[in-house]
Amino acid sequence: MKILRLTRHKVTEAQINELHRIYGDIEIIQISENVPTAARIQELIAEHSADVLEAVLPLTLIADYFKPGGITVPLIRAVMDRHVATGEDRTTFTFSHYERILKVEVHTERL
């Protein structure tokens, strides 16, 4: 199972273990590119023959990925627990679990 990670964040041991639990034998492909369009995401998926996409993307780009004819592989994201150190201006994040994004709808109105 090839997992394309479209994120600047390095994968943690806990994430690798969870991906193994979910998908079995895996190959992780890490891409740190800032993608401008859902079409570019599709190019990267095809280029690397990915079976799953793990991505940190803006909501509008995720919504474009789910437009008809867009989605080609499941999209997952890592859910992180946020920890703020008491008395410090420091925030840390700990991996919690993965979730699959099934649908995104963005409704806007001009102000």
Side-chain angles (χ1 to χ4, degrees):
M1 177 76 56
K2 286 187 180 179
I3 300 172
L4 176 63
R5 294 190 78 245
L6 192 53
T7 173
R8 290 179 308 228
H9 305 284
K10 294 186 185 220
V11 67
T12 67
E13 192 66 32
Q15 287 172 288
I16 292 170
N17 291 339
E18 186 66 357
L19 289 169
H20 277 294
R21 184 192 68 77
I22 296 166
Y23 296 111
D25 189 29
I26 60 169
E27 176 185 346
I28 297 174
I29 302 149
Q30 178 83 35
I31 304 285
S32 296
E33 177 181 327
N34 288 330
V35 293
T37 64
R40 179 62 183 143
I41 295 169
Q42 296 299 353
E43 289 172 4
L44 290 168
I45 290 168
E47 179 182 328
H48 296 283
S49 301
D51 301 301
V52 175
L53 172 65
E54 177 187 350
V56 176
L57 298 167
L59 185 59
T60 53
L61 196 52
I62 293 172
D64 284 347
Y65 181 77
F66 280 95
K67 285 184 177 174
I71 188 169
T72 56
V73 299
L75 173 59
I76 64 172
R77 69 178 185 170
V79 176
M80 309 298 275
D81 290 330
R82 183 175 189 218
H83 308 279
V84 178
T86 305
E88 297 181 25
D89 289 334
R90 196 175 124 202
T91 302
T92 58
F93 297 91
T94 305
F95 173 71
S96 173
H97 62 279
Y98 277 103
E99 61 186 15
R100 181 175 175 184
I101 300 173
L102 300 175
K103 180 179 180 181
V104 174
E105 291 182 342
V106 178
H107 299 270
T108 64
E109 70 176 8
R110 184 176 178 166
L111 300 176

mmCIF file of all heavy atoms in Angstrom, residues 22-52:
data_model
loop_
_atom_site.group_PDB
_atom_site.id
_atom_site.type_symbol
_atom_site.label_atom_id
_atom_site.label_comp_id
_atom_site.label_asym_id
_atom_site.label_seq_id
_atom_site.Cartn_x
_atom_site.Cartn_y
_atom_site.Cartn_z
ATOM 1 N N ILE A 22 -3.668 0.005 10.196
ATOM 2 C CA ILE A 22 -4.810 0.235 9.316
ATOM 3 C C ILE A 22 -4.624 -0.457 7.965
ATOM 4 O O ILE A 22 -5.546 -1.106 7.462
ATOM 5 C CB ILE A 22 -5.023 1.748 9.108
ATOM 6 C CG1 ILE A 22 -5.381 2.423 10.433
ATOM 7 C CG2 ILE A 22 -6.105 2.011 8.061
ATOM 8 C CD1 ILE A 22 -5.274 3.951 10.403
ATOM 9 N N TYR A 23 -3.434 -0.312 7.366
ATOM 10 C CA TYR A 23 -3.237 -0.733 5.979
ATOM 11 C C TYR A 23 -2.314 -1.940 5.798
ATOM 12 O O TYR A 23 -2.166 -2.427 4.684
ATOM 13 C CB TYR A 23 -2.682 0.436 5.157
ATOM 14 C CG TYR A 23 -3.640 1.587 5.057
ATOM 15 C CD1 TYR A 23 -3.380 2.788 5.701
ATOM 16 C CD2 TYR A 23 -4.814 1.479 4.312
ATOM 17 C CE1 TYR A 23 -4.265 3.853 5.613
ATOM 18 C CE2 TYR A 23 -5.711 2.540 4.220
ATOM 19 C CZ TYR A 23 -5.422 3.721 4.871
ATOM 20 O OH TYR A 23 -6.302 4.771 4.777
ATOM 21 N N GLY A 24 -1.676 -2.413 6.854
ATOM 22 C CA GLY A 24 -0.754 -3.534 6.705
ATOM 23 C C GLY A 24 0.592 -3.066 6.192
ATOM 24 O O GLY A 24 1.150 -2.087 6.688
ATOM 25 N N ASP A 25 1.104 -3.739 5.183
ATOM 26 C CA ASP A 25 2.402 -3.403 4.605
ATOM 27 C C ASP A 25 2.281 -2.079 3.849
ATOM 28 O O ASP A 25 1.432 -1.953 2.956
ATOM 29 C CB ASP A 25 2.857 -4.520 3.665
ATOM 30 C CG ASP A 25 4.280 -4.342 3.191
ATOM 31 O OD1 ASP A 25 5.092 -3.753 3.934
ATOM 32 O OD2 ASP A 25 4.579 -4.781 2.065
ATOM 33 N N ILE A 26 3.125 -1.105 4.205
ATOM 34 C CA ILE A 26 3.017 0.221 3.596
ATOM 35 C C ILE A 26 4.354 0.721 3.083
ATOM 36 O O ILE A 26 5.404 0.316 3.555
ATOM 37 C CB ILE A 26 2.451 1.270 4.589
ATOM 38 C CG1 ILE A 26 3.356 1.399 5.825
ATOM 39 C CG2 ILE A 26 1.016 0.972 4.956
ATOM 40 C CD1 ILE A 26 3.041 2.569 6.722
ATOM 41 N N GLU A 27 4.255 1.615 2.108
ATOM 42 C CA GLU A 27 5.393 2.404 1.635
ATOM 43 C C GLU A 27 4.957 3.858 1.744
ATOM 44 O O GLU A 27 3.903 4.228 1.216
ATOM 45 C CB GLU A 27 5.721 2.071 0.187
ATOM 46 C CG GLU A 27 6.825 2.927 -0.399
ATOM 47 C CD GLU A 27 7.064 2.663 -1.875
ATOM 48 O OE1 GLU A 27 6.580 1.651 -2.410
ATOM 49 O OE2 GLU A 27 7.739 3.512 -2.495
ATOM 50 N N ILE A 28 5.745 4.673 2.434
ATOM 51 C CA ILE A 28 5.402 6.082 2.622
ATOM 52 C C ILE A 28 6.232 6.937 1.678
ATOM 53 O O ILE A 28 7.460 6.825 1.643
ATOM 54 C CB ILE A 28 5.624 6.515 4.081
ATOM 55 C CG1 ILE A 28 4.682 5.728 5.005
ATOM 56 C CG2 ILE A 28 5.423 8.023 4.231
ATOM 57 C CD1 ILE A 28 4.904 5.974 6.467
ATOM 58 N N ILE A 29 5.540 7.795 0.936
ATOM 59 C CA ILE A 29 6.191 8.737 0.035
ATOM 60 C C ILE A 29 5.899 10.131 0.574
ATOM 61 O O ILE A 29 4.738 10.547 0.645
ATOM 62 C CB ILE A 29 5.651 8.596 -1.398
ATOM 63 C CG1 ILE A 29 5.874 7.162 -1.897
ATOM 64 C CG2 ILE A 29 6.304 9.609 -2.326
ATOM 65 C CD1 ILE A 29 4.846 6.688 -2.860
ATOM 66 N N GLN A 30 6.939 10.839 0.975
ATOM 67 C CA GLN A 30 6.802 12.164 1.585
ATOM 68 C C GLN A 30 7.054 13.246 0.540
ATOM 69 O O GLN A 30 8.100 13.271 -0.095
ATOM 70 C CB GLN A 30 7.805 12.316 2.729
ATOM 71 C CG GLN A 30 7.797 13.664 3.404
ATOM 72 C CD GLN A 30 6.707 13.791 4.454
ATOM 73 O OE1 GLN A 30 6.390 12.824 5.134
ATOM 74 N NE2 GLN A 30 6.167 14.970 4.595
ATOM 75 N N ILE A 31 6.091 14.158 0.366
ATOM 76 C CA ILE A 31 6.218 15.298 -0.544
ATOM 77 C C ILE A 31 5.941 16.559 0.266
ATOM 78 O O ILE A 31 4.915 16.660 0.933
ATOM 79 C CB ILE A 31 5.218 15.225 -1.716
ATOM 80 C CG1 ILE A 31 5.363 13.915 -2.491
ATOM 81 C CG2 ILE A 31 5.345 16.444 -2.620
ATOM 82 C CD1 ILE A 31 6.555 13.835 -3.380
ATOM 83 N N SER A 32 6.847 17.530 0.202
ATOM 84 C CA SER A 32 6.676 18.776 0.961
ATOM 85 C C SER A 32 6.319 19.960 0.066
ATOM 86 O O SER A 32 6.517 21.095 0.428
ATOM 87 C CB SER A 32 7.962 19.090 1.732
ATOM 88 O OG SER A 32 8.208 18.093 2.689
ATOM 89 N N GLU A 33 5.772 19.676 -1.079
ATOM 90 C CA GLU A 33 5.427 20.708 -2.057
ATOM 91 C C GLU A 33 4.154 21.464 -1.658
ATOM 92 O O GLU A 33 3.201 20.860 -1.161
ATOM 93 C CB GLU A 33 5.205 20.015 -3.408
ATOM 94 C CG GLU A 33 4.777 20.918 -4.520
ATOM 95 C CD GLU A 33 4.550 20.147 -5.819
ATOM 96 O OE1 GLU A 33 5.242 19.146 -6.062
ATOM 97 O OE2 GLU A 33 3.671 20.557 -6.585
ATOM 98 N N ASN A 34 4.141 22.765 -1.871
ATOM 99 C CA ASN A 34 2.915 23.547 -1.720
ATOM 100 C C ASN A 34 2.137 23.413 -3.016
ATOM 101 O O ASN A 34 2.534 23.964 -4.038
ATOM 102 C CB ASN A 34 3.216 25.023 -1.445
ATOM 103 C CG ASN A 34 3.748 25.240 -0.049
ATOM 104 O OD1 ASN A 34 3.403 24.506 0.868
ATOM 105 N ND2 ASN A 34 4.591 26.236 0.119
ATOM 106 N N VAL A 35 1.046 22.675 -2.983
ATOM 107 C CA VAL A 35 0.286 22.423 -4.206
ATOM 108 C C VAL A 35 -0.749 23.527 -4.429
ATOM 109 O O VAL A 35 -1.452 23.907 -3.503
ATOM 110 C CB VAL A 35 -0.395 21.043 -4.179
ATOM 111 C CG1 VAL A 35 0.621 19.939 -4.214
ATOM 112 C CG2 VAL A 35 -1.294 20.898 -2.987
ATOM 113 N N PRO A 36 -0.856 24.046 -5.664
ATOM 114 C CA PRO A 36 -1.781 25.136 -5.927
ATOM 115 C C PRO A 36 -3.201 24.685 -6.275
ATOM 116 O O PRO A 36 -4.149 25.442 -6.106
ATOM 117 C CB PRO A 36 -1.138 25.850 -7.119
ATOM 118 C CG PRO A 36 -0.410 24.767 -7.845
ATOM 119 C CD PRO A 36 0.050 23.808 -6.782
ATOM 120 N N THR A 37 -3.343 23.443 -6.763
ATOM 121 C CA THR A 37 -4.655 22.990 -7.245
ATOM 122 C C THR A 37 -4.872 21.511 -6.954
ATOM 123 O O THR A 37 -3.913 20.751 -6.743
ATOM 124 C CB THR A 37 -4.774 23.180 -8.779
ATOM 125 O OG1 THR A 37 -3.791 22.329 -9.405
ATOM 126 C CG2 THR A 37 -4.578 24.625 -9.194
ATOM 127 N N ALA A 38 -6.144 21.103 -7.012
ATOM 128 C CA ALA A 38 -6.472 19.683 -6.870
ATOM 129 C C ALA A 38 -5.908 18.892 -8.043
ATOM 130 O O ALA A 38 -5.546 17.721 -7.893
ATOM 131 C CB ALA A 38 -7.983 19.503 -6.771
ATOM 132 N N ALA A 39 -5.800 19.526 -9.215
ATOM 133 C CA ALA A 39 -5.213 18.852 -10.374
ATOM 134 C C ALA A 39 -3.758 18.465 -10.092
ATOM 135 O O ALA A 39 -3.315 17.380 -10.481
ATOM 136 C CB ALA A 39 -5.302 19.740 -11.609
ATOM 137 N N ARG A 40 -3.025 19.323 -9.414
ATOM 138 C CA ARG A 40 -1.634 19.006 -9.068
ATOM 139 C C ARG A 40 -1.577 17.838 -8.089
ATOM 140 O O ARG A 40 -0.688 16.982 -8.178
ATOM 141 C CB ARG A 40 -0.920 20.234 -8.488
ATOM 142 C CG ARG A 40 0.505 19.965 -8.078
ATOM 143 C CD ARG A 40 1.390 19.536 -9.247
ATOM 144 N NE ARG A 40 2.741 19.213 -8.782
ATOM 145 C CZ ARG A 40 3.483 18.239 -9.273
ATOM 146 N NH1 ARG A 40 3.056 17.500 -10.272
ATOM 147 N NH2 ARG A 40 4.688 18.016 -8.776
ATOM 148 N N ILE A 41 -2.529 17.788 -7.170
ATOM 149 C CA ILE A 41 -2.601 16.660 -6.238
ATOM 150 C C ILE A 41 -2.787 15.365 -7.027
ATOM 151 O O ILE A 41 -2.109 14.372 -6.781
ATOM 152 C CB ILE A 41 -3.743 16.847 -5.218
ATOM 153 C CG1 ILE A 41 -3.463 18.050 -4.329
ATOM 154 C CG2 ILE A 41 -3.929 15.579 -4.382
ATOM 155 C CD1 ILE A 41 -4.638 18.473 -3.472
ATOM 156 N N GLN A 42 -3.690 15.392 -8.010
ATOM 157 C CA GLN A 42 -3.940 14.206 -8.829
ATOM 158 C C GLN A 42 -2.686 13.802 -9.600
ATOM 159 O O GLN A 42 -2.406 12.613 -9.749
ATOM 160 C CB GLN A 42 -5.102 14.455 -9.800
ATOM 161 C CG GLN A 42 -6.425 14.696 -9.126
ATOM 162 C CD GLN A 42 -6.900 13.531 -8.267
ATOM 163 O OE1 GLN A 42 -6.325 12.452 -8.246
ATOM 164 N NE2 GLN A 42 -7.962 13.754 -7.524
ATOM 165 N N GLU A 43 -1.933 14.781 -10.090
ATOM 166 C CA GLU A 43 -0.678 14.478 -10.798
ATOM 167 C C GLU A 43 0.294 13.746 -9.884
ATOM 168 O O GLU A 43 0.937 12.780 -10.298
ATOM 169 C CB GLU A 43 -0.031 15.765 -11.307
ATOM 170 C CG GLU A 43 -0.742 16.427 -12.453
ATOM 171 C CD GLU A 43 -0.168 17.801 -12.791
ATOM 172 O OE1 GLU A 43 0.848 18.215 -12.179
ATOM 173 O OE2 GLU A 43 -0.745 18.467 -13.672
ATOM 174 N N LEU A 44 0.419 14.224 -8.642
ATOM 175 C CA LEU A 44 1.334 13.592 -7.686
ATOM 176 C C LEU A 44 0.881 12.176 -7.338
ATOM 177 O O LEU A 44 1.707 11.260 -7.220
ATOM 178 C CB LEU A 44 1.455 14.445 -6.423
ATOM 179 C CG LEU A 44 2.203 15.758 -6.592
ATOM 180 C CD1 LEU A 44 2.010 16.653 -5.368
ATOM 181 C CD2 LEU A 44 3.687 15.510 -6.840
ATOM 182 N N ILE A 45 -0.435 11.989 -7.180
ATOM 183 C CA ILE A 45 -0.975 10.652 -6.898
ATOM 184 C C ILE A 45 -0.629 9.707 -8.037
ATOM 185 O O ILE A 45 -0.135 8.599 -7.820
ATOM 186 C CB ILE A 45 -2.500 10.717 -6.665
ATOM 187 C CG1 ILE A 45 -2.801 11.416 -5.337
ATOM 188 C CG2 ILE A 45 -3.118 9.325 -6.704
ATOM 189 C CD1 ILE A 45 -4.261 11.784 -5.145
ATOM 190 N N ALA A 46 -0.862 10.155 -9.278
ATOM 191 C CA ALA A 46 -0.572 9.320 -10.446
ATOM 192 C C ALA A 46 0.926 9.062 -10.601
ATOM 193 O O ALA A 46 1.352 7.929 -10.858
ATOM 194 C CB ALA A 46 -1.134 9.980 -11.707
ATOM 195 N N GLU A 47 1.726 10.113 -10.407
ATOM 196 C CA GLU A 47 3.179 10.002 -10.557
ATOM 197 C C GLU A 47 3.784 8.964 -9.614
ATOM 198 O O GLU A 47 4.712 8.243 -9.969
ATOM 199 C CB GLU A 47 3.803 11.378 -10.292
ATOM 200 C CG GLU A 47 5.302 11.432 -10.383
ATOM 201 C CD GLU A 47 5.834 12.825 -10.058
ATOM 202 O OE1 GLU A 47 5.139 13.825 -10.354
ATOM 203 O OE2 GLU A 47 6.941 12.908 -9.495
ATOM 204 N N HIS A 48 3.228 8.875 -8.408
ATOM 205 C CA HIS A 48 3.774 7.962 -7.400
ATOM 206 C C HIS A 48 2.941 6.692 -7.230
ATOM 207 O O HIS A 48 3.225 5.892 -6.343
ATOM 208 C CB HIS A 48 3.908 8.693 -6.062
ATOM 209 C CG HIS A 48 4.883 9.823 -6.113
ATOM 210 N ND1 HIS A 48 6.245 9.621 -6.097
ATOM 211 C CD2 HIS A 48 4.702 11.159 -6.228
ATOM 212 C CE1 HIS A 48 6.863 10.785 -6.178
ATOM 213 N NE2 HIS A 48 5.951 11.731 -6.262
ATOM 214 N N SER A 49 1.902 6.538 -8.056
ATOM 215 C CA SER A 49 1.005 5.370 -7.980
ATOM 216 C C SER A 49 0.505 5.160 -6.558
ATOM 217 O O SER A 49 0.500 4.035 -6.038
ATOM 218 C CB SER A 49 1.717 4.109 -8.478
ATOM 219 O OG SER A 49 2.139 4.277 -9.809
ATOM 220 N N ALA A 50 0.090 6.250 -5.920
ATOM 221 C CA ALA A 50 -0.348 6.193 -4.523
ATOM 222 C C ALA A 50 -1.726 5.553 -4.396
ATOM 223 O O ALA A 50 -2.585 5.713 -5.263
ATOM 224 C CB ALA A 50 -0.374 7.595 -3.930
ATOM 225 N N ASP A 51 -1.911 4.835 -3.284
ATOM 226 C CA ASP A 51 -3.198 4.202 -2.971
ATOM 227 C C ASP A 51 -4.001 5.030 -1.974
ATOM 228 O O ASP A 51 -5.219 4.896 -1.889
ATOM 229 C CB ASP A 51 -2.962 2.813 -2.371
ATOM 230 C CG ASP A 51 -2.199 1.912 -3.320
ATOM 231 O OD1 ASP A 51 -2.689 1.673 -4.433
ATOM 232 O OD2 ASP A 51 -1.095 1.462 -2.940
ATOM 233 N N VAL A 52 -3.304 5.849 -1.182
ATOM 234 C CA VAL A 52 -3.914 6.667 -0.136
ATOM 235 C C VAL A 52 -3.187 8.001 -0.118
ATOM 236 O O VAL A 52 -1.974 8.056 -0.318
ATOM 237 C CB VAL A 52 -3.796 5.993 1.260
ATOM 238 C CG1 VAL A 52 -4.324 6.892 2.364
ATOM 239 C CG2 VAL A 52 -4.510 4.649 1.278
#
